[in-house]
Amino acid sequence: MIPPARSTLTAVALLVVTATLFLVSCGSSDDNSNPATTQAASPGAPSPSIVLKQPDPVQPLDEDATRAEGNVIGISVRDAKYIGNKLLVPLGDVVTVRVTNNDQQPHNLRIAGFDGEYNTDDDIVTEPETIGGGQTGEVSFAPAVAGAYTFHCDFHPGSMGGQIIVQ
Ligand SMILES: [Cu+2]
């Protein structure tokens, strides 16, 4: 709706992706070919006024939000549903979302990122990307922009989802 904000969005998104790669340090595809990363608008000054473009969560949200304890916030999966799928995290702090899979089948958790689209460069996804039955996966990031971010499970993109509210 507000096209001029697009470049700012991209710049901030790049910053967050860089931070994520640094924090998670998962050594897959290293992509350092982007000089724009260092020249983001007003470093250290997140823009809370940015309107995030996000898809609707595909799973009904819990009434009560789950808050981080320390820097960890837990979410579990049972019967192919996230349990505790509305997460509240503070702006700017590093937070780790820990996903415990209580099913036999694999799940994961993928955050769409600033562009509101899955399977794009600014996604944030659990490590490992496939959390097997009875296993746990984690994703760490430092949210730089307030808002409600949507996530889903790659294995059940139409029925497993939720929201991370950064404030
Ligand atoms: Cu799933």
Side-chain angles (χ1 to χ4, degrees):
M1 303 197 189
I2 310 167
R6 182 70 188 174
S7 58
T8 308
L9 263 179
T10 306
V12 178
L14 285 169
L15 264 187
V16 172
V17 169
T18 305
T20 304
L21 289 174
F22 174 72
L23 291 166
V24 179
S25 70
C26 54
S28 54
S29 69
D30 82 35
D31 177 13
N32 282 339
S33 58
N34 200 338
T37 311
T38 49
Q39 274 303 341
S42 317
S47 315
S49 59
I50 286 178
V51 177
L52 291 171
K53 186 179 68 174
Q54 296 285 296
D56 291 330
V58 293
Q59 181 185 327
L61 292 178
D62 287 359
E63 275 193 34
D64 297 321
T66 307
R67 292 167 185 275
E69 288 181 31
N71 283 51
V72 177
I73 190 162
I75 180 168
S76 60
V77 180
R78 188 180 294 281
D79 299 328
K81 293 288 175 190
Y82 291 112
I83 300 171
N85 71 340
K86 188 161 86 177
L87 312 181
L88 199 59
V89 308
L91 180 65
D93 284 359
V94 177
V95 66
T96 296
V97 177
R98 183 172 295 154
V99 183
T100 302
N101 180 5
N102 295 304
D103 283 344
Q104 308 245 347
Q105 60 183 318
H107 299 290
N108 73 356
L109 190 153
R110 178 182 295 273
I111 304 167
F114 285 98
D115 63 3
E117 290 177 24
Y118 295 107
N119 304 311
T120 53
D121 285 345
D122 70 346
D123 285 10
I124 300 174
V125 66
T126 47
E127 170 68 40
E129 276 196 47
T130 298
I131 306 170
Q135 296 186 323
T136 296
E138 289 186 350
V139 54
S140 297
F141 54 95
V145 176
Y149 297 81
T150 301
F151 63 83
H152 79 182
C153 169
D154 286 332
F155 300 91
H156 308 91
S159 58
M160 275 181 72
Q163 204 170 57
I164 297 176
I165 299 161
V166 175
Q167 64 181 28

